[in-house]
Amino acid sequence: TPSKCRLAKPGELIVVQLPNPNDVSKEKCSETAGSYLAHFNLTSYESEIKNNQNNTVKWYRAWSSSTGFSNEITGADLTNFAAANSQTIVYAKVCDPVNTTVCSSAELTLNVKEKPGAPTAGSNSPVCTGTTLNLTASAITSATYGWTGPNNFTSSSQNPSISNVTAAAAGTYNVEATLNGCTGSPGSTLVVVNTTPGAPTVTAGPFCSAENK
């Protein structure tokens, strides 16, 4: 275990144990598609960082072996820290609660995964009862899909179909794309189902014969 020696008074040597914090990595999905913005509560990671020891923690945006810690994170940023890149590292200064100059450093790596955009949803609507409804979603590379709709419809296909549709299939269908564990906002499409008319009734006769001339 790392330790540090100091002279408390002439002739007395006291061994003080350095804090032994953990480096920690956390990840979130971005809050909007097309960006890496996510907010993290740094204080919620303190117990894990300080290895469940009774130490104090302060957070900083920068650290180097030559200049030490700089740009302390304070106030609302502690519980709502904005990370705007795919990876951001913040630094914890972990100190002994009594010997406050006895400190160690640890890294908190914040990984942000980009949320996919909403797929463009479409269909071959309007359709008639008894025919096939084809739903479509725009392609998002490596994404998986989740559809929901009327009549308890669900599907994990990108472009699902419903055969022999009934009037109950009419309404709004929503589709979400999920990429790297992040689900984006839904796209939607409105489906109209018209009733197929029945076969007409054909009635025979009476007929008039042509007059002979």
Side-chain angles (χ1 to χ4, degrees):
T1 302
S3 62
K4 178 178 179 180
C5 297
R6 66 175 175 83
L7 278 174
K9 55 186 178 181
E12 181 183 13
L13 182 66
I14 297 177
V15 177
V16 179
Q17 180 174 309
L18 282 172
N20 187 27
N22 296 314
D23 289 334
V24 174
S25 179
K26 299 295 180 181
E27 69 178 20
K28 278 188 174 183
C29 298
S30 63
E31 294 169 6
T32 57
S35 82
Y36 287 102
L37 177 64
H39 288 80
F40 293 81
N41 182 351
L42 303 184
T43 60
S44 67
Y45 310 131
E46 289 185 359
S47 178
E48 191 175 355
I49 282 279
K50 63 186 183 182
N51 204 12
N52 295 314
Q53 297 172 335
N54 187 29
N55 296 317
T56 63
V57 178
K58 288 187 177 181
W59 295 96
Y60 296 83
R61 289 180 170 84
W63 177 87
S64 73
S65 57
S66 57
T67 60
F69 296 93
S70 61
N71 199 357
E72 184 177 358
I73 302 169
T74 60
D77 284 345
L78 288 171
T79 56
N80 199 35
F81 179 81
N85 300 302
S86 60
Q87 185 177 90
T88 301
I89 299 176
V90 294
Y91 301 88
K93 183 179 183 180
V94 183
C95 299
D96 185 276
V98 177
N99 303 293
T100 56
T101 60
V102 180
C103 303
S104 298
S105 66
E107 293 183 357
L108 172 61
T109 302
L110 306 174
N111 297 300
V112 180
K113 299 182 293 183
E114 184 181 356
K115 181 184 295 186
T120 301
S123 74
N124 61 334
S125 171
V127 293
C128 294
T129 54
T131 63
T132 298
L133 169 64
N134 298 316
L135 300 167
T136 60
S138 56
I140 298 175
T141 303
S142 301
T144 59
Y145 294 83
W147 283 90
T148 58
N151 204 28
N152 298 317
F153 173 78
T154 60
S155 176
S156 59
S157 297
Q158 178 185 347
N159 302 310
S161 296
I162 304 174
S163 59
N164 196 27
V165 293
T166 66
T172 299
Y173 289 77
N174 298 305
V175 57
E176 295 175 332
T178 299
L179 183 64
N180 296 322
C182 299
T183 301
S185 300
S188 62
T189 185
L190 179 63
V191 168
V192 175
V193 179
N194 295 319
T195 301
T196 301
T201 301
V202 177
T203 304
F207 299 101
C208 296
S209 60
E211 293 182 358
N212 294 325
K213 293 185 179 180

